[in-house]
Amino acid sequence: MTENTQQQPVSDPELPTQYVPAEVEGKLYERWVERGYFEADEKSDKEPYTIVIPPPNVTGSLHLGHAFEHTLIDAVTRRKRMQGYETLWQPGMDHAGIATQNVVERELGREGKSRHDLGREAFVERVWQWKNESGGQISGQMKRLGDGVAWSRERFTMDEGLSKAVQTIFKKLYDDELIYRAERIINWCPRCLTAISDIEVEYQEDDGELVSLKYGDGEDSVVVATTRAETMLGDTAVAVHPDDERYAHLVGRRIRLPLTDRTIPVVADTHVDPEFGTGAVKVTPAHDPNDFEIGQRHGLPNITVMDERAVITVPGPFEGLDRMEARSAIVAALRAEGRIVAEKRPYTHSVGHCSRCKTTIEPRLSLQWWVKVEPLAKAAGDAVRDGRVDIHPKEMESRYFGWVDNLHDWCISRQLWWGHRIPVWYGPNGETVCVGPDDEAPTGEGWRQDSDVLDTWFSSGLWPFSTLGWPEQTPSLEKFYPNSILVTGYDILFFWVARMMMFGLYAMDGTPPFHTIVLHGMVRDQFGKKMSKSFGNAVNPLDWMDKYGSDAVRFTLARGANPGVDVPIGEDWVQGSRNFANKIWNATRFAMMNGATVEGGLPEAADLSAADRWILSRLNTVVSEVDALYEDYQFAKLSDTLFHFAWDEVFDWYVELSKTTFFEGGAQARVSGRVLGEVLDVMLRLLHPVVPFVTETLWTTLTGKESVVIADWPVDSGFRDPEAEREIGHLQQVITEVRRFRADQGLQPGQKVPARLDLSGTSLAAHEAAIRQLLRLQPEGESFHATATLPVAGARVALDLSGTIDVEAERKRLTKDLGAAQKEKAQAEAKLGNEAFLAKAPDQVVEKIRVRLSKAEADIERITAQVAALPQG
């Protein structure tokens, strides 16, 4: 440390008296972007730090989940940028096949048209028009939040470069026989008229009916149960377990299928659970995935009974009925024939729905394109097992392995017009040709391209390297691949993350797409309930940003972000974070007006007061703690650490202790002003990644430098002073205990009380002026009479409360409180002493009682001391 006692206090910090986020945030963000702070240079010799944005849907708008995830990513990347890394946060959007097509189809519907009226080419052009005019509003909302992304590198999963990447990897997978076409059961949406992925299916408990039906007659009869009676028209067998003696005589025989002119075989299959229901199940291979597998094993025919809109196609009385209408009609017909053995209504069971339109999903046999995932999934699992990729928190690994180790082949084709069209052509004589981006497509009479497009997850699975120019070996790809980390929700661990792992390892010669996967939870309301428009608890984060500022929203979200755990959030908490931003503003402004400065070096240790040495020691400890918490992705803990350091230690203690020094002026005031400036400088830099706007304004005003965005990240200087920490700790004890005693006696905070301070034998003698000022303690006069004496931290504080309180009334109140605490203690001790209770009670209940006992004991000790301190009558 070098001496600096010539610095003059700053009388006007050029800061408004109030912090108004709306007047600051937009201008600051524009300045950051104009100056290129968020851009990344592949020619830089700095160590790269890369992370991609989980690409939001082009149809989407910022919701709390986005705001939460983006806050965490922005905090990580802002810190890395300050640490000197060449930091790339890659932005972009997903074309969102089904969602976007639905939006444009609804627009056409309002015009009285359908996509078929336009034709494929014109419809796709219409979608591009919508995307350019109305899509991507989320980009502007990301700027509102403060996302430090490299906007010049923004990508779209349907742009030219990514389209080339999609064609390239499709061709490579096809040539390696990892893509094939086959008939399988898929999730089909009769409203969107396409296959959809597992992640696009939402399961909910629906009230339906469970109907038990009798197939066959006499000894050749068997009872099966179903919630989808309409599918019986496509039954091609009844299955029983091979060891079930009840049906041994039927296996290999044929029984009559009601309402049809067909007979079907009874087959033995180990998939059937003989303990469930009647032990016999109907087999509809074209409309159930398990039944399809049974059908494959036994060579059963696949009879499709519905068209793409879920309308019955089987000739007869039910033809042309919607599946729900057919269900009722078929049950009625079976009842008329005496085939209904039992009916259960309502029967609540889990039913899949399309996440886009909420239509009930129909399992359907369909000719689709598939990825053979076994070798790809094995590679994705091995990359985590051998340590090339870390999953954080580690306990999420088991969920990851549970998925990739049991992954089924992936249906990648969608019956849409908007998306990456499958690059396969069919010839007039049954030829099939897969075309890469540099290949010429077949021409001539009879050649046609496959009409399907690829699942959106196919292109987004390429995101970590396609956005960097792959398949070309670009400088960006060389510099910024693989990504350093991926930050995303655990809810898409199985879908997006697994696909990126599979494709990255496959396309990039065994190099995984990222070193670390950081998984966060979901945002919920303050009661822990899922946020949903239907629940009436959904929140538009922009409303909160308008009301409280973006920093307040960000800090609230970060402070709730424990690894892999859901995040409850309520408006009261955002308001509290707004108060924190205001506290930072007001306290920093006050400090700067009273001499806080960063000019010159820090004074020598010998010139520092105990309070100066204490706060610098604590500052370096906090720098070290925050660094460790960032490296462990403990956003909640690091935010909490910064909150309590800033509010409790810097503002509530150091600034308050410095007021006396500043008031007295002189050399010590200049020293403390420089120390306070140092603390504010470092503290604002530590806070910046989470609350960027308020810290930028304060830091640039304090330091006169260009921007905290490109400032150096603080480092722990190693300065520690345990003795100063103990000394100030004792000082805090004295002030806290006397304040508590004053409050317990009903004294107003500003009410002055005569006091005698005995600080001999302690390190507190130098702090008498500060103690008296902070506690509103007057010097003792000639008539001083000590009516209460408090021994604290080796010191003794004698107070004259004569005439300030009603002693007898206070004694009665305290005696009543003491009795209540003693009763609470006795009840808790009785429960904890009851062996029968302890044997049955859950651990959390026992722990709550232990906490109650501990609190009661503390209350008894505190109240007893208060009674003893009362003046004796």
Side-chain angles (χ1 to χ4, degrees):
M1 297 184 181
T2 57
E3 186 176 7
N4 173 38
T5 57
Q6 302 302 312
Q7 178 62 36
Q8 297 298 315
V10 178
S11 59
D12 183 3
E14 300 179 354
L15 288 170
T17 56
Q18 287 186 319
Y19 176 53
V20 183
E23 296 178 0
V24 171
E25 294 176 349
K27 295 176 184 176
L28 284 183
Y29 192 86
E30 286 179 11
R31 185 188 310 161
W32 293 336
V33 172
E34 287 170 2
R35 293 179 178 178
Y37 293 155
F38 305 140
E39 295 303 325
D41 181 5
E42 61 264 19
K43 298 178 183 178
S44 166
D45 58 2
K46 296 179 181 178
E47 184 178 347
Y49 191 86
T50 316
I51 186 169
V52 295
I53 189 174
N57 288 352
V58 67
T59 60
S61 59
L62 192 74
H63 57 63
L64 267 180
H66 289 127
F68 173 55
E69 185 168 80
H70 291 199
T71 293
L72 304 187
I73 299 175
D74 197 41
V76 169
T77 53
R78 283 179 183 268
R79 172 174 174 263
K80 287 296 181 181
R81 189 177 294 111
M82 295 171 75
Q83 287 182 314
Y85 289 82
E86 191 63 36
T87 304
L88 170 60
W89 182 10
Q90 174 67 55
M93 285 183 292
D94 192 288
H95 64 279
I98 295 176
T100 307
Q101 180 154 322
N102 280 347
V103 167
V104 178
E105 285 198 81
R106 282 196 294 270
E107 277 192 356
L108 289 173
R110 287 191 286 271
E111 299 171 13
K113 299 177 182 177
S114 74
R115 61 180 163 127
H116 299 285
D117 294 324
L118 272 65
R120 183 168 192 145
E121 187 174 337
F123 176 77
V124 170
E125 181 60 34
R126 177 71 177 260
V127 179
W128 275 108
Q129 180 184 338
W130 176 88
K131 185 263 180 187
N132 294 331
E133 294 176 358
S134 306
Q137 61 174 315
I138 198 171
S139 297
Q141 296 165 344
M142 287 165 57
K143 295 174 183 177
R144 282 285 312 277
L145 188 65
D147 286 2
V149 299
W151 287 112
S152 69
R153 293 173 173 265
E154 187 174 13
R155 302 302 298 271
F156 180 56
T157 52
M158 286 279 286
D159 68 27
E160 184 177 351
L162 268 68
S163 294
K164 182 175 183 180
V166 167
Q167 278 188 274
T168 300
I169 201 162
F170 188 100
K171 170 81 168 155
K172 180 175 171 58
L173 288 163
Y174 182 88
D175 289 346
D176 287 346
E177 298 184 349
L178 293 174
I179 281 183
Y180 63 93
R181 197 180 189 214
E183 271 198 327
R184 296 279 182 83
I185 295 289
I186 45 88
N187 302 308
W188 181 265
C189 176
R191 158 61 184 81
C192 297
L193 299 179
T194 181
I196 64 173
S197 65
D198 291 338
I199 196 172
E200 292 161 325
V201 179
E202 293 180 350
Y203 288 89
Q204 66 185 47
E205 295 296 311
D206 285 359
D207 285 340
E209 60 180 352
L210 180 66
V211 183
S212 296
L213 315 174
K214 186 175 73 170
Y215 286 10
D217 298 293
E219 291 185 357
D220 289 349
S221 67
V222 63
V223 175
V224 298
T226 181
T227 58
R228 301 164 65 215
E230 68 280 7
T231 63
M232 66 155 292
L233 299 175
D235 286 358
T236 56
V238 169
V240 297
H241 193 276
D243 300 331
D244 194 336
E245 295 182 358
R246 292 173 296 175
Y247 303 111
H249 68 289
L250 286 177
V251 174
R253 298 172 65 175
R254 301 183 71 86
I255 60 176
R256 181 160 298 282
L257 181 66
L259 305 183
T260 72
D261 58 0
R262 293 191 292 117
T263 61
I264 57 177
V266 177
V267 299
D269 196 282
T270 54
H271 170 76
V272 180
D273 180 1
E275 302 298 323
F276 183 77
T278 64
V281 297
K282 58 191 288 299
V283 181
T284 321
H287 292 278
D288 183 273
N290 293 321
D291 293 3
F292 178 78
E293 297 297 331
I294 294 174
Q296 292 291 294
R297 287 193 288 271
H298 296 277
L300 301 175
N302 303 314
I303 300 178
T304 300
V305 301
M306 295 177 225
D307 66 11
E308 60 184 10
R309 298 183 184 276
V311 172
I312 301 297
T313 57
V314 177
F318 312 110
E319 186 177 9
L321 295 180
D322 169 83
R323 56 182 165 166
M324 300 305 175
E325 297 171 333
R327 182 174 301 173
S328 299
I330 287 171
V331 169
L334 289 167
R335 188 181 298 112
E337 285 194 4
R339 295 285 177 177
I340 302 294
V341 175
E343 295 179 75
K344 185 176 181 180
R345 292 192 190 88
Y347 177 73
T348 303
H349 60 133
S350 182
V351 178
H353 295 260
C354 174
S355 63
R356 303 298 178 189
C357 67
K358 311 309 176 187
T359 301
T360 299
I361 290 302
E362 188 63 43
R364 185 169 188 258
L365 185 65
S366 182
L367 182 62
Q368 302 284 348
W369 285 95
W370 303 81
V371 172
K372 183 180 180 182
V373 299
E374 183 180 0
L376 304 175
K378 182 181 183 303
D382 290 345
V384 174
R385 287 189 170 95
D386 63 24
R388 280 176 289 159
V389 177
D390 291 325
I391 293 180
H392 187 90
K394 195 169 183 64
E395 53 266 27
M396 286 286 181
E397 280 187 1
S398 60
R399 297 181 67 173
Y400 176 79
F401 292 137
W403 179 257
V404 297
D405 293 348
N406 299 283
L407 203 55
H408 298 296
D409 285 1
W410 171 21
C411 175
I412 56 172
S413 46
R414 299 291 180 265
Q415 289 63 58
L416 304 170
W417 287 355
W418 171 246
H420 294 283
R421 194 164 176 181
I422 288 176
V424 172
W425 270 254
Y426 306 109
N429 299 311
E431 304 96 328
T432 300
V433 176
C434 180
V435 176
D438 299 321
D439 300 333
E440 290 290 334
T443 58
E445 186 177 351
W447 283 94
R448 62 180 179 84
Q449 185 178 359
D450 195 297
S451 60
D452 288 352
V453 300
L454 287 163
D455 178 13
T456 297
W457 296 101
F458 192 94
S459 51
S460 61
L462 313 179
W463 193 246
F465 51 93
S466 64
T467 52
L468 298 173
W470 187 90
E472 306 300 327
Q473 296 304 307
T474 64
S476 287
L477 188 66
E478 183 178 353
K479 176 75 173 181
F480 295 114
Y481 187 90
N483 283 206
S484 305
I485 66 170
L486 172 76
V487 177
T488 192
Y490 64 70
D491 58 320
I492 56 173
L493 171 64
F494 312 137
F495 307 104
W496 186 47
V497 178
R499 282 150 172 70
M500 285 191 291
M501 286 285 283
M502 291 191 297
F503 281 166
L505 290 160
Y506 175 73
M508 302 301 292
D509 299 322
T511 302
F514 19 73
H515 297 302
T516 303
I517 301 168
V518 180
L519 297 171
H520 59 74
M522 314 302 294
V523 178
R524 297 181 178 272
D525 71 13
Q526 62 196 36
F527 305 108
K529 191 175 181 180
K530 179 181 178 181
M531 285 192 173
S532 167
K533 290 181 180 178
S534 60
F535 294 154
N537 63 351
V539 173
N540 182 348
L542 296 172
D543 293 340
W544 280 353
M545 285 188 230
D546 290 341
K547 195 171 182 180
Y548 303 110
S550 297
D551 283 336
V553 174
R554 291 170 61 114
F555 192 72
T556 304
L557 291 165
R559 204 173 176 194
N562 290 297
V565 178
D566 288 348
V567 182
I569 184 172
E571 186 168 359
D572 289 349
W573 305 343
V574 183
Q575 186 174 351
S577 296
R578 188 271 312 273
N579 294 343
F580 179 50
N582 287 343
K583 181 75 171 181
I584 298 171
W585 181 275
N586 294 333
T588 302
R589 184 176 183 276
F590 171 84
M592 293 168 64
M593 291 178 67
N594 285 275
T597 180
V598 297
E599 295 190 16
L602 278 171
E604 297 290 344
D607 296 324
L608 301 175
S609 69
D612 294 335
R613 288 181 282 115
W614 162 73
I615 197 63
L616 289 173
S617 182
R618 286 293 304 132
L619 177 68
N620 280 287
T621 298
V622 167
V623 169
S624 181
E625 288 176 352
V626 168
D627 266 333
L629 291 168
Y630 260 116
E631 294 303 315
D632 198 33
Y633 309 105
Q634 298 278 358
F635 298 101
K637 289 183 179 179
L638 72 88
S639 299
D640 213 46
T641 297
L642 288 170
F643 173 86
H644 288 294
F645 176 69
W647 195 309
D648 299 346
E649 298 186 80
V650 177
F651 300 144
D652 280 1
W653 282 107
Y654 184 69
V655 170
E656 289 300 312
L657 289 171
S658 300
K659 283 181 178 178
T660 303
T661 305
F662 290 141
F663 178 77
E664 292 173 350
Q668 190 57 53
R670 290 190 288 274
V671 168
S672 292
R674 179 63 186 90
V675 170
L676 183 51
E678 180 76 9
V679 171
L680 292 175
D681 170 19
V682 174
M683 184 193 75
L684 290 170
R685 282 185 281 151
L686 289 174
L687 280 164
H688 173 73
V690 181
V691 284
F693 295 106
V694 66
T695 52
E696 170 81 341
T697 306
L698 293 173
W699 189 85
T700 52
T701 305
L702 171 70
T703 65
K705 295 181 180 178
E706 181 181 343
S707 174
V708 70
V709 176
I710 54 173
D712 291 336
W713 180 252
V715 293
D716 179 1
S717 72
F719 177 78
R720 299 288 191 281
D721 194 324
E723 184 57 39
E725 291 195 35
R726 279 193 294 272
E727 182 174 329
I728 299 303
H730 290 157
L731 176 62
Q732 291 172 324
Q733 277 184 268
V734 170
I735 292 172
T736 300
E737 289 301 316
V738 175
R739 278 177 174 168
R740 182 181 293 122
F741 178 78
R742 287 176 55 111
D744 289 339
Q745 304 307 317
L747 298 178
Q748 295 299 315
Q751 189 172 350
K752 295 183 177 180
V753 177
R756 177 187 300 138
L757 303 184
D758 180 3
L759 307 176
S760 59
T762 74
S763 58
L764 299 176
H767 301 287
E768 179 168 351
I771 292 172
R772 287 190 177 277
Q773 178 185 342
L774 293 173
L775 291 173
R776 305 294 189 268
L777 302 181
Q778 294 177 321
E780 56 185 292
E782 292 183 3
S783 60
F784 179 82
H785 174 63
T787 59
T789 302
L790 302 175
V792 186
R796 296 176 68 83
V797 180
L799 304 174
D800 184 353
L801 303 180
S802 303
T804 60
I805 61 170
D806 183 334
V807 176
E808 286 309 310
E810 186 63 16
R811 195 185 306 279
K812 287 180 181 179
R813 183 183 71 80
L814 291 173
T815 301
K816 181 179 178 181
D817 291 346
L818 181 61
Q822 290 169 335
K823 181 179 179 181
E824 175 74 1
K825 178 187 176 185
Q827 290 175 342
E829 287 178 332
K831 286 189 175 181
L832 293 175
N834 185 335
E835 294 296 334
F837 170 77
L838 293 177
K840 295 180 181 179
D843 291 344
Q844 61 267 31
V845 173
V846 175
E847 180 58 28
K848 284 183 179 179
I849 295 172
R850 290 198 179 104
V851 171
R852 282 171 50 195
L853 175 60
S854 178
K855 182 179 182 302
E857 290 173 338
D859 287 344
I860 291 170
E861 183 179 354
R862 175 179 56 82
I863 298 168
T864 301
Q866 291 173 18
V867 172
L870 286 173
Q872 301 300 313

